[in-house]
Amino acid sequence: MSDAESLHDTRPDMEGLFLGDDENDREAYQEAIEQACDLVLGEFLDNATPYSGVTPDELADTLAQFEMLPSEGDGLETALDRTGPVLRNSVGVSDPHCIAHLQCPPMVPALAAEVLLTAANQSMDSWDQSPAATHLEEQFVTELCGLFGYDEAESDGVFTSGGTQSNFVGLLLARNRILLEEYGVDVQQAGLPPEARDLRILCSEAAHFTAKQAASHLGLGENAVVTVPTDNEYRISVEAFDEAIVDIRANGNRPFAIVATAGTTDFGSIDPLEPLAERARKYDCWFHVDAAWGGALALSDEHADKLAGIEAADSIAVDFHKMFYQPISCGAVLVRDESSYDLIDRNAAYLNPERDDEAGVPNLVSKSVQTTRRFDALKPFVTMQTVGREGLASLMEYTINLADEAVELIERDSDLHVIHESELNVVLFRYVPESVPIEMTREEWIGKLNEAIRDSLLEDGEAVVARTTVDGINCLKLTLLNPRTTREDIRSLLQAITARGTEFETNPDEIRQ
Ligand SMILES: *Cc1c(COP(=O)(O)O)cnc(C)c1O
């Protein structure tokens, strides 16, 4: 037997396993996608509404029936059937009563784009792995820079996995800049010098935890982050900021980065961007705006002025998988001055050969902390082509109005108390009991009651509402990101909340433990 024959004999059967040109392969792909589509329309939409109520133990038991690494497979149809329990017990993110987190219902145009981008499987690290995709991403980023008031010719950016990575990159550039410009240290080569101990980052106490996480990953330590108190509206207090920065300097430390948040996770508050930009200039600090959530306001003629000052940011984090209604993951980090990327320049001979640079062939790997990277830009591209900026803005504007209506409904109900109404679409409130069991403080009882209300709504699969603490006491949180939610949905949810609150008050033993 010749070598060629034996190789042929051992070639595995691949029918239907890869995208291919012949009729069978085409049909197999079409059928696979159609079956997946049926599961979404059936198992997922029919059952995940908004949650099945199944407990962690039950879920573990359900999944224990499957071997994750079986030695032999059973074919695609059976495989897809087995995803049934996973889809059924997922959170119904598109359900009008799923209003807990910054987890959006994904838009259908973007889901269609997701089918395309996974099939094309372009990798954004080098041009020769993603030629058209590279240019699409670049053009999208350029116009996005313009939307935030950057000069399109000077600014730049890149898609990221989300706010965590975007905040990390913003602070990475900030750290490398200060160490190079002020201490003459090229951190990329030399690592952190002893002076790095003196570096400080300022953000508000309501900032996202990833500011501290980034400081830790950057070798500066979480203690390098000074959290400044907020005002009554949960925005950074400029007065407190001024005191903090004076203190930092008086102690011989070097404030080098200011992180402002446009849309704090718990309160939807927007830090005063203009005064902070001014201080960044005065103290020669990098100004990063974490607009992971609130960045979408830039789409809206009505709300864009809430972001006034963002154009002065050295870097901006924006997430599309929040108020741009794109499926996870989809975000970007933008920089006002494209030459900032020199601070993280890295030449991998096989990905961005110097020859490419000279020929003007863009290899996006040089702007990203990822190497292999998804073509996520296709999702907002298809979405924008479908509904336009104004169409997308109108969805978000509706949810901001809905939050105002929710506040009005809560205020009308004497059992409920509004704690915070945000500039975005989040509402914080509490169920307030009439009396308190003798062995508890009022605060403890309010905390327990609200937690029990939230848990029972989830267990019964009625609504997914969030819980957080304000001033050390539990409260309920509605993140009204979902444009499918109506005023009537809010009204029925509030009724369910007061009914449960009243029931727990009548039978405190149910939650006393
Ligand atoms: C969601 C969020 C983040 C984290 O972003 P991911 O996309 O989850 O990585 C950071 N900051 C803010 C303000 C956010 O809302």
Side-chain angles (χ1 to χ4, degrees), residues 28 78 83 135 155 201 211 234 278 287 304 319 322 349 368 403 426 469-470:
T78 309
T83 65
H135 291 282
S155 51
I201 298 165
Y234 302 99
E278 198 181 295
F287 185 37
D319 271 358
K322 288 174 180 164
S368 180
V426 69
T469 56
V470 173

PDB file of all heavy atoms in Angstrom, residues 28 78 83 135 155 201 211 234 278 287 304 319 322 349 368 403 426 469-470:
ATOM      1  N   ALA A  28     -25.572  20.712   5.511  1.00  0.00           N
ATOM      2  CA  ALA A  28     -25.330  20.394   6.922  1.00  0.00           C
ATOM      3  C   ALA A  28     -25.237  21.679   7.744  1.00  0.00           C
ATOM      4  O   ALA A  28     -25.783  21.771   8.854  1.00  0.00           O
ATOM      5  CB  ALA A  28     -24.050  19.577   7.062  1.00  0.00           C
ATOM      6  N   THR A  78     -28.550  15.085  18.667  1.00  0.00           N
ATOM      7  CA  THR A  78     -28.572  14.700  20.075  1.00  0.00           C
ATOM      8  C   THR A  78     -27.815  15.736  20.910  1.00  0.00           C
ATOM      9  O   THR A  78     -28.257  16.120  21.988  1.00  0.00           O
ATOM     10  CB  THR A  78     -27.911  13.315  20.253  1.00  0.00           C
ATOM     11  OG1 THR A  78     -28.508  12.436  19.322  1.00  0.00           O
ATOM     12  CG2 THR A  78     -28.088  12.797  21.654  1.00  0.00           C
ATOM     13  N   THR A  83     -28.597  20.531  24.969  1.00  0.00           N
ATOM     14  CA  THR A  83     -28.481  21.909  25.463  1.00  0.00           C
ATOM     15  C   THR A  83     -29.821  22.400  26.012  1.00  0.00           C
ATOM     16  O   THR A  83     -29.892  23.461  26.609  1.00  0.00           O
ATOM     17  CB  THR A  83     -28.035  22.886  24.354  1.00  0.00           C
ATOM     18  OG1 THR A  83     -29.056  22.947  23.361  1.00  0.00           O
ATOM     19  CG2 THR A  83     -26.718  22.473  23.725  1.00  0.00           C
ATOM     20  N   HIS A 135     -10.369  46.772   8.400  1.00  0.00           N
ATOM     21  CA  HIS A 135     -10.751  48.115   7.952  1.00  0.00           C
ATOM     22  C   HIS A 135     -12.104  48.521   8.490  1.00  0.00           C
ATOM     23  O   HIS A 135     -12.318  49.677   8.857  1.00  0.00           O
ATOM     24  CB  HIS A 135     -10.703  48.187   6.424  1.00  0.00           C
ATOM     25  CG  HIS A 135      -9.295  48.109   5.902  1.00  0.00           C
ATOM     26  ND1 HIS A 135      -8.451  49.195   5.927  1.00  0.00           N
ATOM     27  CD2 HIS A 135      -8.580  47.072   5.425  1.00  0.00           C
ATOM     28  CE1 HIS A 135      -7.270  48.820   5.455  1.00  0.00           C
ATOM     29  NE2 HIS A 135      -7.329  47.545   5.145  1.00  0.00           N
ATOM     30  N   SER A 155      -7.358  60.689  16.838  1.00  0.00           N
ATOM     31  CA  SER A 155      -7.716  59.720  17.871  1.00  0.00           C
ATOM     32  C   SER A 155      -7.669  58.308  17.299  1.00  0.00           C
ATOM     33  O   SER A 155      -7.482  58.112  16.103  1.00  0.00           O
ATOM     34  CB  SER A 155      -9.112  60.037  18.385  1.00  0.00           C
ATOM     35  OG  SER A 155     -10.011  60.161  17.298  1.00  0.00           O
ATOM     36  N   ILE A 201      -3.929  56.758  41.837  1.00  0.00           N
ATOM     37  CA  ILE A 201      -5.057  56.918  40.905  1.00  0.00           C
ATOM     38  C   ILE A 201      -6.232  57.437  41.725  1.00  0.00           C
ATOM     39  O   ILE A 201      -6.486  56.939  42.823  1.00  0.00           O
ATOM     40  CB  ILE A 201      -5.446  55.547  40.301  1.00  0.00           C
ATOM     41  CG1 ILE A 201      -4.276  54.962  39.510  1.00  0.00           C
ATOM     42  CG2 ILE A 201      -6.721  55.645  39.465  1.00  0.00           C
ATOM     43  CD1 ILE A 201      -4.430  53.473  39.178  1.00  0.00           C
ATOM     44  N   ALA A 211     -11.319  49.454  38.486  1.00  0.00           N
ATOM     45  CA  ALA A 211     -10.247  50.453  38.602  1.00  0.00           C
ATOM     46  C   ALA A 211      -9.196  49.914  39.572  1.00  0.00           C
ATOM     47  O   ALA A 211      -7.987  49.934  39.282  1.00  0.00           O
ATOM     48  CB  ALA A 211     -10.814  51.785  39.089  1.00  0.00           C
ATOM     49  N   TYR A 234     -24.379  60.742  44.286  1.00  0.00           N
ATOM     50  CA  TYR A 234     -23.415  59.668  44.036  1.00  0.00           C
ATOM     51  C   TYR A 234     -22.419  60.002  42.919  1.00  0.00           C
ATOM     52  O   TYR A 234     -21.891  59.126  42.252  1.00  0.00           O
ATOM     53  CB  TYR A 234     -24.136  58.336  43.747  1.00  0.00           C
ATOM     54  CG  TYR A 234     -25.048  57.933  44.879  1.00  0.00           C
ATOM     55  CD1 TYR A 234     -26.417  58.191  44.810  1.00  0.00           C
ATOM     56  CD2 TYR A 234     -24.544  57.345  46.036  1.00  0.00           C
ATOM     57  CE1 TYR A 234     -27.257  57.867  45.858  1.00  0.00           C
ATOM     58  CE2 TYR A 234     -25.367  57.010  47.090  1.00  0.00           C
ATOM     59  CZ  TYR A 234     -26.733  57.268  46.995  1.00  0.00           C
ATOM     60  OH  TYR A 234     -27.555  56.945  48.037  1.00  0.00           O
ATOM     61  N   GLU A 278     -10.394  69.463  33.935  1.00  0.00           N
ATOM     62  CA  GLU A 278      -9.591  70.646  34.265  1.00  0.00           C
ATOM     63  C   GLU A 278      -8.502  70.288  35.281  1.00  0.00           C
ATOM     64  O   GLU A 278      -7.345  70.686  35.157  1.00  0.00           O
ATOM     65  CB  GLU A 278     -10.557  71.651  34.883  1.00  0.00           C
ATOM     66  CG  GLU A 278     -10.131  73.074  34.930  1.00  0.00           C
ATOM     67  CD  GLU A 278     -11.255  73.853  35.622  1.00  0.00           C
ATOM     68  OE1 GLU A 278     -12.367  73.926  35.050  1.00  0.00           O
ATOM     69  OE2 GLU A 278     -11.025  74.327  36.737  1.00  0.00           O
ATOM     70  N   PHE A 287      -6.481  61.368  32.055  1.00  0.00           N
ATOM     71  CA  PHE A 287      -7.909  61.418  32.370  1.00  0.00           C
ATOM     72  C   PHE A 287      -8.627  60.297  31.629  1.00  0.00           C
ATOM     73  O   PHE A 287      -8.737  60.312  30.398  1.00  0.00           O
ATOM     74  CB  PHE A 287      -8.465  62.788  31.960  1.00  0.00           C
ATOM     75  CG  PHE A 287      -9.897  63.007  32.353  1.00  0.00           C
ATOM     76  CD1 PHE A 287     -10.406  62.532  33.559  1.00  0.00           C
ATOM     77  CD2 PHE A 287     -10.755  63.714  31.518  1.00  0.00           C
ATOM     78  CE1 PHE A 287     -11.728  62.746  33.932  1.00  0.00           C
ATOM     79  CE2 PHE A 287     -12.085  63.940  31.875  1.00  0.00           C
ATOM     80  CZ  PHE A 287     -12.570  63.447  33.083  1.00  0.00           C
ATOM     81  N   ALA A 304     -27.026  63.540  25.074  1.00  0.00           N
ATOM     82  CA  ALA A 304     -25.569  63.579  24.872  1.00  0.00           C
ATOM     83  C   ALA A 304     -24.896  64.628  25.755  1.00  0.00           C
ATOM     84  O   ALA A 304     -23.750  64.442  26.182  1.00  0.00           O
ATOM     85  CB  ALA A 304     -25.240  63.829  23.406  1.00  0.00           C
ATOM     86  N   ASP A 319     -18.941  50.280  26.458  1.00  0.00           N
ATOM     87  CA  ASP A 319     -19.415  48.912  26.228  1.00  0.00           C
ATOM     88  C   ASP A 319     -20.599  48.920  25.280  1.00  0.00           C
ATOM     89  O   ASP A 319     -21.549  49.677  25.490  1.00  0.00           O
ATOM     90  CB  ASP A 319     -19.853  48.262  27.550  1.00  0.00           C
ATOM     91  CG  ASP A 319     -18.714  47.552  28.249  1.00  0.00           C
ATOM     92  OD1 ASP A 319     -17.599  47.530  27.701  1.00  0.00           O
ATOM     93  OD2 ASP A 319     -18.958  47.018  29.354  1.00  0.00           O
ATOM     94  N   LYS A 322     -23.969  46.693  26.671  1.00  0.00           N
ATOM     95  CA  LYS A 322     -24.907  47.229  27.667  1.00  0.00           C
ATOM     96  C   LYS A 322     -25.972  48.025  26.921  1.00  0.00           C
ATOM     97  O   LYS A 322     -26.841  47.451  26.306  1.00  0.00           O
ATOM     98  CB  LYS A 322     -24.151  48.038  28.700  1.00  0.00           C
ATOM     99  CG  LYS A 322     -23.335  47.108  29.612  1.00  0.00           C
ATOM    100  CD  LYS A 322     -22.456  47.809  30.568  1.00  0.00           C
ATOM    101  CE  LYS A 322     -21.690  46.784  31.414  1.00  0.00           C
ATOM    102  NZ  LYS A 322     -20.555  47.402  32.092  1.00  0.00           N
ATOM    103  N   ALA A 349       7.120  39.429  15.287  1.00  0.00           N
ATOM    104  CA  ALA A 349       7.588  39.353  13.897  1.00  0.00           C
ATOM    105  C   ALA A 349       6.566  38.676  12.980  1.00  0.00           C
ATOM    106  O   ALA A 349       6.408  39.050  11.833  1.00  0.00           O
ATOM    107  CB  ALA A 349       8.913  38.620  13.855  1.00  0.00           C
ATOM    108  N   SER A 368      -3.934  46.227  20.969  1.00  0.00           N
ATOM    109  CA  SER A 368      -4.781  45.422  21.835  1.00  0.00           C
ATOM    110  C   SER A 368      -3.956  44.629  22.836  1.00  0.00           C
ATOM    111  O   SER A 368      -2.802  44.301  22.565  1.00  0.00           O
ATOM    112  CB  SER A 368      -5.604  44.450  20.986  1.00  0.00           C
ATOM    113  OG  SER A 368      -6.431  43.649  21.792  1.00  0.00           O
ATOM    114  N   ALA A 403     -37.663  54.653  33.511  1.00  0.00           N
ATOM    115  CA  ALA A 403     -37.134  54.741  34.883  1.00  0.00           C
ATOM    116  C   ALA A 403     -37.819  55.888  35.629  1.00  0.00           C
ATOM    117  O   ALA A 403     -38.134  55.766  36.819  1.00  0.00           O
ATOM    118  CB  ALA A 403     -35.624  54.933  34.853  1.00  0.00           C
ATOM    119  N   VAL A 426     -31.571  53.392  36.075  1.00  0.00           N
ATOM    120  CA  VAL A 426     -31.580  52.540  37.261  1.00  0.00           C
ATOM    121  C   VAL A 426     -32.412  53.216  38.356  1.00  0.00           C
ATOM    122  O   VAL A 426     -32.434  54.440  38.470  1.00  0.00           O
ATOM    123  CB  VAL A 426     -30.136  52.258  37.741  1.00  0.00           C
ATOM    124  CG1 VAL A 426     -29.485  53.487  38.302  1.00  0.00           C
ATOM    125  CG2 VAL A 426     -30.098  51.147  38.758  1.00  0.00           C
ATOM    126  N   THR A 469     -26.537  47.333  48.466  1.00  0.00           N
ATOM    127  CA  THR A 469     -26.666  48.020  49.747  1.00  0.00           C
ATOM    128  C   THR A 469     -26.356  49.496  49.568  1.00  0.00           C
ATOM    129  O   THR A 469     -25.467  49.872  48.817  1.00  0.00           O
ATOM    130  CB  THR A 469     -25.698  47.448  50.813  1.00  0.00           C
ATOM    131  OG1 THR A 469     -24.382  47.519  50.282  1.00  0.00           O
ATOM    132  CG2 THR A 469     -26.018  46.024  51.162  1.00  0.00           C
ATOM    133  N   VAL A 470     -27.164  50.305  50.231  1.00  0.00           N
ATOM    134  CA  VAL A 470     -26.903  51.740  50.256  1.00  0.00           C
ATOM    135  C   VAL A 470     -26.836  52.132  51.729  1.00  0.00           C
ATOM    136  O   VAL A 470     -27.727  51.791  52.500  1.00  0.00           O
ATOM    137  CB  VAL A 470     -28.027  52.526  49.551  1.00  0.00           C
ATOM    138  CG1 VAL A 470     -27.828  54.025  49.734  1.00  0.00           C
ATOM    139  CG2 VAL A 470     -28.066  52.183  48.075  1.00  0.00           C
TER     140      VAL A 470
END
